[in-house]
Amino acid sequence: MTSLRTWLVGALLVVVLMAVAGSTATTMNEVSNRLEEDLEGEGRRALSSLRAELQQTGAALDNELDQLLDPRGPAARADAAGGAAARYLYAAGRLEAGRVDLLKVLESDSGTILMSGHWPATLGVVDAGVTRYRTDAGTSAIVVDEPVSRGAAASLQRWGTGRWGSTPVVAVVGRFLDEDALERMRARLGVDLLALCRKGAPCLIAGGEELTAAIGASMSTPEAAARLSRHPLTVGQGSSPAELIVGLDRSPIEAVKAAIRRRALGVGSASVLLALAVGFFLAGGVVRPVEALARAAGDLAGGDLDARAETGSGRIGELEGLVDAFNSMADDIQSSQEKLVQAERVAAWREIARGLAHELRNPLTPIQAAMDVMRKARRLDRPDFDDILEEQAGAVIEEVIRLKKLSDSFAQFARLPDPEPEELDLAELVDRTVALYASGDEEVTIDRRYATALPAVSVDRAQIQTVVTNLVKNALEAMNHQGRLLLVIRTDDLEGRAGIELRVEDSGHGIPEDVRTKLFTPYFTTKGSRGTGLGLAMAHRIVLEHQGTIEAAESELGGAAFVIRLPVRRPSGAAPPGP
Ligand code: ADP
Ligand code: MG
């Protein structure tokens, strides 16, 4: 029955957990999809802003380059005006204007620096990048490390060739893409991270400290892939193409997911508790009446006719109805059982009255005859009257003794009180009783076959003793106090409930077919004046009042076998004795 409760609560738990898990999964999916889409859109927008910014930068660089290479332009004029100072001043002025970060003009053939805005000291020096400008001739943009005062800085450069007077020149302009520039760009774009990556070198990364620390130096680690939504853009061409990577932090999505998971866990635990509470409440309503029914039905089947299922514990109308129906059925069984016992008892007493009348008549006839003989002898004045008187009086006394015996045994039978059951060991009771009656018979061997670990029986000691005494006496009489007596005790089913069986078997003359049907009838005896015919009738009545059974069978020893079965449980509802 516990399993019914467990099942109910378990089923409710499964339903609740499935509902919570299902809705959590759906919400999680929806929210995370929406957030991913948003992030993706944001990335695309940032990328196009970046592209636009790079285009603008490219246009500014081209414009600067055109001015530098214009043979009649200000740069060429400054060159023609002569002197490194004029060239430097022009270049420095352009840098000051802020549209470019880097500006230089080289002599095409030698690579000698003719003009530079940064570093007057480099004038006349051969530029380290000259080969690159030659190799990548025709390309319009490149990302390179440009030597600067504090080392080298990544820069986006454009260059072109032209002539200053008769000198073929290469003009180079550029904007720095160093960490500061990246950081400014990142801030303008409003993204979490901006990285510049080139082959064979660690990426330059601008972004929050925590974020950059989390992803490490490389943008291609699994950590970076997991933490960032990445949107790359190729910049520059030629022998060293580079990538600008816009990165958006995914951790807010993960944080939202974690929050949903936490919420779900909270809701889940609360629901589980609620489900448990509701489950136990409901289970109580269903299970308690069912348990009560099962218990009462078991007790009823076990012989307890007083057993009833308790009412009022169920909250479910149908179950309450079932309990009520069961109880009224039990009432019916009990009252009809009582009626049956009553009817049996009336029938039994009728039988007894008939037997008693018969038994009373038997001695009365010889008494009447004896009196007649004596009166006749007196009237005839017979000389042997004294002898006749003696003889006939003896006969009368004998019959009177028999009447007395009859009355005694009837009194005993009629006075049979209500059984007062106590828990006792049947084997011990049988042994004691047998010892009283059979120990004197030296020519009788007694065999015992008792099962081990026998349950206790709840019976009236004195009454069961009477039963055993009567059976043993009959057995000894049937074998004329010579032969074998077998006692068997074992557990046995008694009409579907636990019972204990006692067999008393003998090697006597056995029971003829015509006797068998009358065995338990009061005053039936085949022993003439030596018997009362009440022994088995009494045994029968006692066993019935203990809710047991008694029957006669044939014994393997050749004689009769009397088999008694008693319930192990306390028999209740046993009817009161006597009419
Ligand atoms: P009683 O012993 O006074 O005759 P019982 O009621 O004890 O009365 O027995 C009734 C009859 O049943 C006996 O007269 C006898 O014929 C028969 N009977 C009882 N027990 C046995 C037995 N063990 N073997 C053969 N017959 C028996
Ligand atoms: Mg007897």
Side-chain angles (χ1 to χ4, degrees):
M1 214 47 67
T2 320
S3 69
L4 176 56
R5 193 182 297 251
T6 315
W7 267 105
L8 273 170
V9 175
L12 206 68
L13 270 186
V14 167
V15 168
V16 164
L17 283 180
M18 266 173 36
V20 171
S23 68
T24 306
T26 318
T27 313
M28 188 91 107
N29 225 14
E30 270 174 18
V31 169
S32 109
N33 279 352
R34 170 81 48 83
L35 292 175
E36 290 287 354
E37 270 170 29
D38 288 356
L39 205 64
E40 198 62 33
E42 206 182 314
R44 273 198 304 274
R45 270 193 304 282
L47 210 54
S48 66
S49 307
L50 179 63
R51 203 175 281 122
E53 181 164 340
L54 287 177
Q55 247 160 26
Q56 238 171 12
T57 308
L61 290 178
D62 282 346
N63 196 357
E64 202 66 36
L65 211 52
D66 286 349
Q67 287 188 36
L68 274 178
L69 291 173
D70 185 354
R72 281 175 299 277
R77 278 206 305 277
D79 179 52
R87 291 199 294 270
Y88 170 71
L89 280 176
Y90 171 77
R94 293 312 304 157
L95 289 184
E96 197 87 337
R99 305 193 59 177
V100 292
D101 299 326
L102 190 147
L103 184 151
K104 60 189 179 182
V105 177
L106 322 177
E107 196 185 24
S108 290
D109 299 335
S110 62
T112 315
I113 295 176
L114 298 176
M115 176 194 271
S116 167
H118 313 273
W119 219 6
T122 56
L123 284 185
V125 171
V126 172
D127 188 274
V130 68
T131 2
R132 185 168 45 233
Y133 299 130
R134 281 193 205 122
T135 325
D136 289 336
T139 55
S140 55
I142 191 168
V143 176
V144 291
D145 285 326
E146 183 67 21
V148 291
S149 53
R150 54 181 199 278
S155 59
L156 179 67
Q157 300 185 356
R158 286 192 170 218
W159 68 96
T161 51
R163 275 174 184 281
W164 277 357
S166 58
T167 319
V169 293
V170 179
V172 183
V173 291
R175 293 220 70 146
F176 285 131
L177 279 178
D178 59 1
E179 264 171 75
D180 293 344
L182 276 179
E183 176 54 33
R184 279 195 302 276
M185 205 183 271
R186 183 194 73 75
R188 276 197 301 278
L189 292 173
V191 295
D192 298 314
L193 178 137
L194 188 63
L196 174 69
C197 297
R198 281 167 297 165
K199 232 193 265 154
C203 297
L204 264 182
I205 299 175
E209 219 167 86
E210 191 268 324
L211 184 59
T212 47
I215 63 164
S218 169
M219 287 291 289
S220 47
T221 55
E223 290 80 24
R227 180 73 192 262
L228 291 171
S229 157
R230 302 180 331 151
H231 306 269
L233 177 67
T234 309
V235 286
Q237 295 154 343
S239 58
S240 54
E243 242 182 6
L244 270 174
I245 301 173
V246 168
L248 292 167
D249 195 353
R250 302 172 51 93
S251 61
I253 297 184
E254 298 307 325
V256 169
K257 279 195 197 170
I260 293 176
R261 266 196 293 270
R262 268 198 308 278
R263 181 75 51 87
L265 208 65
V267 171
S269 331
S271 319
V272 164
L273 287 180
L274 198 70
L276 280 176
V278 171
F280 277 111
F281 179 76
L282 282 183
V286 176
V287 174
R288 215 169 299 136
V290 174
E291 274 175 343
L293 265 182
R295 228 183 350 255
D299 287 351
L300 197 66
D304 181 1
L305 292 183
D306 287 330
R308 297 288 182 278
E310 57 193 88
T311 53
S313 61
R315 282 173 277 266
I316 295 170
E318 286 87 342
L319 284 174
E320 262 310 88
L322 188 62
V323 169
D324 289 343
F326 174 85
N327 284 345
S328 76
M329 182 188 79
D331 288 343
D332 290 350
I333 290 177
Q334 191 169 32
S335 78
S336 57
Q337 177 78 14
E338 276 159 14
K339 274 185 209 134
L340 202 67
V341 168
Q342 206 62 36
E344 269 175 10
R345 188 166 293 125
V346 169
W349 279 103
R350 201 169 285 147
E351 198 59 33
I352 290 164
R354 197 176 298 138
L356 188 62
H358 179 72
E359 289 301 308
L360 284 175
R361 181 163 298 142
N362 283 346
L364 290 180
T365 315
I367 289 174
Q368 190 181 16
M371 296 315 262
D372 267 351
V373 169
M374 284 191 282
R375 200 163 57 182
K376 251 184 228 149
R378 181 76 192 87
R379 208 179 291 145
L380 297 177
D381 213 2
R382 295 222 356 207
D384 56 347
F385 176 76
D386 284 355
D387 293 343
I388 291 171
L389 178 70
E390 187 62 33
E391 190 189 322
Q392 294 305 320
V396 168
I397 289 171
E398 195 179 303
E399 292 307 325
V400 169
I401 289 174
R402 186 166 161 210
L403 274 173
K404 220 172 135 208
K405 201 164 127 195
L406 206 64
S407 127
D408 283 349
S409 63
F410 177 75
Q412 190 194 0
F413 184 76
R415 266 204 313 269
L416 198 63
D418 218 354
E420 278 171 22
E422 56 182 297
E423 296 267 321
L424 53 83
D425 179 358
L426 187 62
E428 185 244 49
L429 184 148
V430 169
D431 282 347
R432 277 189 188 206
T433 314
V434 172
L436 279 179
Y437 288 92
S439 55
D441 289 306
E442 258 127 56
E443 286 168 84
V444 176
T445 44
I446 303 174
D447 294 331
R448 290 179 174 82
R449 280 183 219 157
Y450 298 166
T452 50
L454 286 163
V457 283
S458 178
V459 294
D460 185 305
R461 179 182 287 274
Q463 291 185 6
I464 296 300
Q465 226 157 8
T466 305
V467 173
V468 176
T469 305
N470 288 345
L471 294 185
V472 171
K473 258 171 139 180
N474 281 348
L476 295 175
E477 282 164 12
M479 66 171 93
N480 221 352
H481 296 269
Q482 285 176 17
R484 293 168 62 199
L485 184 68
L486 171 62
L487 302 168
V488 180
I489 306 178
R490 60 187 180 202
T491 53
D492 191 47
D493 245 29
L494 179 65
E495 287 154 9
R497 52 200 155 112
I500 199 159
E501 182 187 281
L502 165 67
R503 301 173 75 96
V504 179
E505 306 193 11
D506 63 66
S507 58
H509 53 66
I511 307 166
E513 198 52 50
D514 57 322
V515 171
R516 185 179 296 263
T517 49
K518 299 175 223 153
L519 281 178
F520 301 104
T521 310
Y523 300 107
F524 171 78
T525 177
T526 56
K527 296 170 191 169
S529 60
R530 282 183 303 108
T532 61
L534 283 176
L536 287 181
M538 191 120 85
H540 185 232
R541 193 174 146 196
I542 292 172
V543 169
L544 276 193
E545 302 224 318
H546 279 80
Q547 308 212 332
T549 62
I550 180 167
E551 62 192 30
E554 273 166 31
S555 166
E556 56 180 59
L557 301 178
F562 281 83
V563 185
I564 291 173
R565 294 195 186 90
L566 293 167
V568 166
R569 284 182 57 93
R570 188 188 75 80
S572 73

